[in-house]
Amino acid sequence: MMEFRTPDEELGRFRRRVLIAGIFIAVCFGLLVARFWFLQVVRYDYYHTRAEDNRIALLPIVPGRGSITDRNGVPLARNYAAYTLEITPSRVRDLEATIDGLAEIVEIDARDRRRFKKLLEESKNFESVPLRTRLTEEEVARVIARRYQFPGVEVQARLFRDYPQGELASHVIGYIGRINQRDRERIEESGDEANYRGSEHIGKSGLEQSYEAELHGVTGAEQVEVNAGGRAVRQLARTPGLAGNDLELTLDIEMQKVAEAAFGKRRGALVAIEPATGGVLALVSKPGYDPNLFVDGISTEDWKSLNESPDHPLVNRAIFSAYPPGSTFKPFMAMAGLSAGKRTITQTIPDPGYFMFGGHRFMDDKVGGHGMVDLPKSIVVSCNTYYYQLANDLGIDGIANFMRPFGFGSRTGIDVPGEAEGVLPTPEWKKKRFRKKEHQKWFGGETISVGIGQGYNAYTPLQMANAVAALVNDGKLFRPHVVRHVVSPVTGERRVVEPAPIRTIPFKPEHAAAVRQAMVDVNKVGTGARAFAGAPYSVGGKTGTAQVFSLRGQRYVEGRVSERLRDHSWFIAYAPADKPTIALAVLVENGGFGAQSAAPIARQVIDYHLLGKRRDQPAGEDVDAADEGDEHAAHPHAGAHATAAEPAQPQAGGQEGEPRSE
């Protein structure tokens, strides 16, 4: 049954509907206005910035890395510009097809592809990734002519790092490499993310690593307006990057050449220091490596060759490897005896050719001994018996307390990373070193061995050279440093790296004078005389021979021992004797007697330093020096008798064994 409404009722109902609809529309419009007000007024800054970000791209301007030169301005690390073929993965549909197409235009080998894939995994999708570096001008022209076929592919000009001296001083200079995940984490921890935007390389070793903050520079920025496709339309603003500072070193690269040539193919290290400043004149570690291999990412073959080589070319032997010092320790032992009042300069002791301790006989190098021996003679002829007795009189704590201020057993603080502490043995050190309680006890026979630079003693060539520098510099010990000036490329301002004195070692000048005169006599009538025969200058020195393993009572015969088990050859020196301008330490691994291998190398370096005389060839080995009695004898270790040769345990990056006198 239909319900009929009057016209007034229909009109009222219609008006109510219109009113409700109007209210609904008004509310919606109000919400829209409120939203517009919120977006346009309240959130204006936020969305304006977002819009500008879409319109404006902020591109980093990577600063040029600072250069490195030696003390005479010879370039050791520098930059050069070259073209790079790069791909932005986000703008490429088929990456493999693109690479194959580019390979038809320019040469792209398997190594380029492997490196590209590795860098692609480490990069962000919107970043360009280099496929080929160092394009020739002809290759650049070919790519640009057909670039329209390869969207996302560009040719960019970049700066590349170059080490013009190759392997020379490679362990000092170090190298740069591509920034990996670990590097990014370190950069984030230091809060330098903004300064490394766009940077692809960072210092990985040597001065490139330790002076990264100086060399890197300050990253600039360029504001560019881009279209919807992401292509640049125009430049809006530009803040240029600030190039990194340059480093001028104390290193004399010509002396470095002479020193490295003198080693030839032998393994070892050399450190030469200016006693009055601590400046490093030469720092050699042989064998070396070519740092240029690392700049673009080292190949698998090259890395395997370096990393698996039994010669360990990546190890900086000069500052990381620690070795027993052998008889080069004796001048410092002599100083300890004089300072402690256990010996006088003229006091003599009888040397029957051995020293008895605890029922065991410690043999001297000379059968029958050296007769009556005073302190100068003990250094000149390198008398073991003298130092056996002196070590026993001083005690291990007395030895350690005197040696510690010279820097033995502690890092010198040199500005090249990777330095080892070495080992200055004490009873406390032994307790920490060994886990088993029966191995922690210190025996008196171990003190006897320490007295001639054997036993647990282990020091780096850098520590030995710095100790010699302090001895001839009236006890003033400096922190060794390789960088002399930090130079601003903008203003040319030269910031001096001031010599940093560590301490002054308190010893009497007359004691030092006696020991130094004895070291001069070593090279006149002693174990170093053959190496410095005919030298027109006066030079102080001391030979040393450090054993690699224990013969346990057998006499050492070099020809019967495997090459890598032969003794290490040491030589420390300073010159000229009256006013030293150079103090050095030379270590030749498995080089035999100190006068045999190390001393001839030192002679060539000092000849260059004082006379300008150079021989760019390996120093000859003085095989006959072995017959001159360079401190070598056999004796059993205290508390043990055996006849079979026994390998020694390595200590602190070097090698150390049962004591065998030199």
Side-chain angles (χ1 to χ4, degrees), residues 12 112 173 211 219 235 249 276 289 344 539 558 577 625:
D112 294 325
I173 307 304
Y211 282 85
T219 300
Q235 183 186 92
L249 309 186
Y289 62 90
T344 65
V539 54
E558 184 175 299

Side-chain angles (χ1 to χ4, degrees), residues 184-223:
R184 290 193 183 95
E185 292 172 358
R186 286 195 292 266
I187 291 171
E188 290 174 1
E189 290 175 1
S190 63
D192 287 339
E193 302 100 311
N195 199 35
Y196 278 85
R197 283 194 61 197
S199 296
E200 297 178 347
H201 295 85
I202 195 170
K204 297 284 188 176
S205 72
L207 295 175
E208 291 279 27
Q209 178 185 4
S210 58
Y211 282 85
E212 171 66 24
E214 296 283 359
L215 292 166
H216 179 265
V218 179
T219 300
E222 182 180 19
Q223 287 187 342

Side-chain angles (χ1 to χ4, degrees), residues 340-636:
K342 299 295 183 179
R343 295 289 185 275
T344 65
I345 297 172
T346 58
Q347 178 185 354
T348 60
I349 66 163
D351 173 20
Y354 59 87
F355 174 71
M356 295 298 298
F357 181 84
H360 301 291
R361 179 173 294 191
F362 289 82
M363 300 301 296
D364 199 277
D365 62 291
K366 184 177 181 181
V367 178
H370 294 89
M372 299 303 292
V373 180
D374 59 9
L375 186 141
K377 182 179 178 180
S378 73
I379 295 175
V380 174
V381 301
S382 201
C383 175
N384 285 335
T385 302
Y386 187 95
Y387 292 97
Y388 292 148
Q389 294 186 24
L390 178 57
N392 189 49
D393 292 344
L394 287 169
I396 189 60
D397 289 329
I399 295 172
N401 291 337
F402 182 81
M403 298 300 173
R404 193 172 289 112
F406 279 92
F408 291 114
S410 61
R411 295 184 178 92
T412 65
I414 190 172
D415 49 356
V416 178
E419 185 181 7
E421 287 187 352
V423 176
L424 177 61
T426 62
E428 291 73 22
W429 168 85
K430 194 177 182 185
K431 288 178 182 178
K432 295 177 182 178
R433 171 66 177 81
F434 296 101
R435 293 182 179 179
K436 294 183 179 180
K437 201 163 186 178
E438 59 269 25
H439 295 162
Q440 294 178 349
K441 183 180 178 181
W442 186 269
F443 296 96
E446 293 172 323
T447 302
I448 308 304
S449 302
V450 169
I452 63 166
Q454 295 288 170
Y456 294 116
N457 275 316
Y459 310 118
T460 66
L462 174 63
Q463 289 172 334
M464 294 302 300
N466 209 36
V468 174
L471 178 63
V472 302
N473 193 39
D474 300 324
K476 297 182 181 67
L477 183 73
F478 284 89
R479 179 183 67 84
H481 61 281
V482 179
V483 175
R484 183 167 65 172
H485 293 106
V486 178
V487 185
S488 169
V490 178
T491 64
E493 178 186 358
R494 300 163 65 84
R495 177 160 36 97
V496 179
V497 177
E498 296 288 349
I502 300 175
R503 68 181 68 90
T504 298
I505 305 166
F507 53 68
K508 293 182 178 180
E510 58 268 27
H511 293 166
V515 170
R516 289 170 57 176
Q517 182 56 51
M519 294 177 71
V520 171
D521 291 338
V522 165
N523 294 328
K524 289 183 177 179
V525 296
T527 55
R530 292 174 61 91
F532 285 89
Y537 50 82
S538 181
V539 54
K542 183 69 188 78
T543 54
T545 310
Q547 70 178 86
V548 173
F549 75 105
S550 172
L551 286 170
R552 296 286 186 160
Q554 296 295 307
R555 177 165 288 276
Y556 175 86
V557 180
E558 184 175 299
R560 299 178 185 175
V561 180
S562 171
E563 188 269 338
R564 290 184 183 267
L565 293 179
R566 294 174 185 168
D567 292 342
H568 297 322
S569 178
W570 273 105
F571 191 76
I572 58 173
Y574 61 91
D578 55 343
K579 193 174 182 180
T581 57
I582 184 173
L584 56 80
V586 184
L587 182 281
V588 179
E589 287 187 2
N590 312 118
F593 300 105
Q596 178 179 343
S597 299
I601 292 174
R603 170 68 187 269
Q604 288 192 191
V605 173
I606 296 175
D607 276 355
Y608 171 78
H609 177 68
L610 297 181
L611 309 176
K613 178 182 176 182
R614 61 186 303 159
R615 294 181 60 198
D616 294 319
Q617 60 186 22
E621 288 194 356
D622 188 1
V623 180
D624 293 333
D627 298 328
E628 299 280 321
D630 185 22
E631 324 116 323
H632 219 283
H635 65 273

Side-chain angles (χ1 to χ4, degrees), residues 229-291:
R231 293 187 176 276
V233 176
R234 63 191 176 100
Q235 183 186 92
L236 301 177
R238 179 182 175 86
T239 304
L242 183 62
N245 291 326
D246 300 327
L247 302 182
E248 181 185 292
L249 309 186
T250 61
L251 213 66
D252 182 344
I253 202 62
E254 294 303 317
M255 180 186 292
Q256 184 85 14
K257 287 180 182 178
V258 171
E260 294 201 17
F263 273 87
K265 295 184 178 180
R266 289 169 288 195
R267 303 178 303 277
L270 178 147
V271 179
I273 294 177
E274 285 181 326
T277 65
V280 177
L281 298 170
L283 194 151
V284 175
S285 178
K286 295 288 288 184
Y289 62 90
D290 186 355

Side-chain angles (χ1 to χ4, degrees), residues 142-221:
R142 290 204 299 264
V143 172
I144 292 178
R146 298 177 59 179
R147 188 173 57 181
Y148 67 93
Q149 298 177 353
F150 304 99
V153 176
E154 294 182 352
V155 175
Q156 294 191 13
R158 291 186 180 270
L159 290 176
F160 290 89
R161 198 64 161 175
D162 176 51
Y163 302 99
Q165 306 297 332
E167 289 190 9
L168 193 65
S170 56
H171 290 92
V172 181
I173 307 304
Y175 59 87
I176 64 170
R178 289 195 168 272
I179 297 175
N180 56 31
Q181 186 58 37
R182 291 176 60 186
D183 296 323
R184 290 193 183 95
E185 292 172 358
R186 286 195 292 266
I187 291 171
E188 290 174 1
E189 290 175 1
S190 63
D192 287 339
E193 302 100 311
N195 199 35
Y196 278 85
R197 283 194 61 197
S199 296
E200 297 178 347
H201 295 85
I202 195 170
K204 297 284 188 176
S205 72
L207 295 175
E208 291 279 27
Q209 178 185 4
S210 58
Y211 282 85
E212 171 66 24
E214 296 283 359
L215 292 166
H216 179 265
V218 179
T219 300

